[in-house]
Amino acid sequence: MRAVELHPTARLWVNSWTAEVAQAQWKHPTEVRAQFPRVQVRPSGAFAFPVADTGSTLVLSIAFPVGVAVIEEFINRDGPYGR
């Protein structure tokens, strides 16, 4: 995630987001949306988190029954680094 390394706002957001996700005990998608109102749910069921106001997005899949979350993709739409 090179864009995060170079963008101070993104770095702060990712650090905070990572701490929140690590402590989360979500059992249902509505709990994710309640904690992160700007998150969008993709047709696949994955969650797209806008990274601050950087134009980047983190895509997270969550296996609710077992409490496991995996980053699927980092999308940098507005920056020079791509995915």
Side-chain angles (χ1 to χ4, degrees):
M1 287 194 280
R2 181 122 169 90
V4 171
E5 293 173 16
L6 298 178
H7 198 294
T9 302
R11 186 179 320 118
L12 286 171
W13 185 92
V14 168
N15 288 341
S16 175
W17 177 85
T18 302
E20 287 189 59
V21 170
Q23 296 299 314
Q25 296 183 2
W26 300 311
K27 301 296 181 202
H28 193 271
T30 56
E31 296 175 72
V32 179
R33 293 187 63 110
Q35 187 169 352
F36 295 96
R38 293 181 56 205
V39 74
Q40 294 184 357
V41 181
R42 291 180 153 196
S44 66
F47 296 87
F49 294 83
V51 178
D53 292 319
T54 64
S56 299
T57 303
L58 270 171
V59 180
L60 186 76
S61 287
I62 303 169
F64 290 100
V66 292
V68 174
V70 176
I71 296 174
E72 280 187 12
E73 185 175 21
F74 179 79
I75 304 166
N76 186 14
R77 290 187 177 98
D78 297 337
Y81 301 104
R83 294 179 180 199

